[in-house]
Amino acid sequence: SVPDQSKLDSLASSVTTAAKQQANLGTLSKELMSTIEKNSSLKGQVNVVMTDAGIELRFGSNLLFPPGKAALRPEGYDAIFSIGKILGYFVKARSAFISVEGHTDDTPLRSTVEFKSNWELSSARATEVVHYLEDTVSIEGKRLSSTGFADARPQNKEKDPVTGQFTEKARNDNRRVVIRIYYHNDV
């Protein structure tokens, strides 16, 4: 049997591309961690996590939004802007993408005209961050997406053994916004 050289070349090229992309993400991750470490308002409020799919920036919801609201707090604008400048340069230079995820805890919203449920709230928060990244940080809209997950993907599943409900710490951890930086090779 004779191997198909064009398939081998294609495989070698994709492995090389993936290795370069991982190296680029590793460099970005270090730069983001350094920026967060130097900024007292971000330190302890934003976590950088490398995953197989890219980088996740996990923002505590309390930093960005008041409870039950989807308008960024002033310090939320500052936090997104500080990180956004780095992301904007990286996305443009490296042809990467950003998705923004909104997550809530499992507490139902009190009667509100603004949001029917945590689904709408989480979607609105993610979209608010995307608008800010596009309008203020000037990241191209074709490189951005937003999704709301409500309480469907808890980060912390710790429950009180007596009540069976999520602990307050778990609820606090689960209220978050995640900015994911990744490559999409089909584009």
Side-chain angles (χ1 to χ4, degrees):
S1 141
V2 177
D4 182 339
Q5 189 60 43
S6 66
K7 288 183 180 177
L8 289 175
D9 291 344
S10 176
L11 177 62
S13 174
S14 67
V15 169
T16 302
T17 299
K20 285 180 185 174
Q21 290 173 344
Q22 276 305 108
N24 290 339
L25 289 171
T27 302
L28 174 62
S29 176
K30 289 175 186 165
E31 185 174 350
L32 291 168
M33 285 190 266
S34 173
T35 298
I36 291 165
E37 193 64 30
K38 292 175 187 172
N39 186 325
S40 62
S41 64
L42 297 178
K43 193 174 179 179
Q45 297 289 325
V46 183
N47 294 314
V48 179
V49 179
M50 282 290 295
T51 70
D52 291 339
I55 297 173
E56 289 183 5
L57 291 169
R58 297 176 183 170
F59 291 79
S61 179
N62 295 335
L63 170 66
L64 300 181
F65 299 101
K69 302 291 181 192
L72 283 163
R73 295 177 186 264
E75 52 273 15
Y77 285 114
D78 294 343
I80 299 296
F81 189 76
S82 297
I83 298 293
K85 293 184 296 185
I86 297 165
L87 297 181
Y89 175 77
F90 182 85
V91 165
K92 186 174 184 174
R94 303 288 185 218
S95 299
F97 294 85
I98 294 175
S99 82
V100 180
E101 302 172 357
H103 299 267
T104 65
D105 65 22
D106 65 329
T107 307
L109 291 176
R110 293 187 178 95
S111 179
T112 175
V113 175
E114 195 171 2
F115 303 108
K116 181 178 174 184
S117 71
N118 281 326
W119 287 103
E120 287 83 6
L121 176 61
S122 64
S123 295
R125 286 177 171 178
T127 302
E128 177 75 5
V129 172
V130 164
H131 282 301
Y132 188 73
L133 289 171
E134 183 177 24
D135 299 341
T136 304
V137 182
S138 300
I139 296 175
E140 288 180 287
K142 71 180 183 179
R143 301 250 170 232
L144 298 166
S145 64
S146 68
T147 306
F149 287 107
D151 64 331
R153 296 186 182 182
Q155 176 177 289
N156 182 338
K157 298 178 183 177
E158 181 180 89
K159 293 194 176 188
D160 182 292
V162 175
T163 65
Q165 301 292 318
F166 281 108
T167 64
E168 199 50 46
K169 179 179 180 348
R171 285 185 170 139
N172 192 47
D173 291 346
N174 294 336
R175 289 186 300 267
R176 67 198 187 282
V177 170
V178 176
I179 296 178
R180 187 181 313 273
I181 304 95
Y182 65 98
Y183 285 101
H184 183 19
N185 294 323
D186 295 340
V187 176

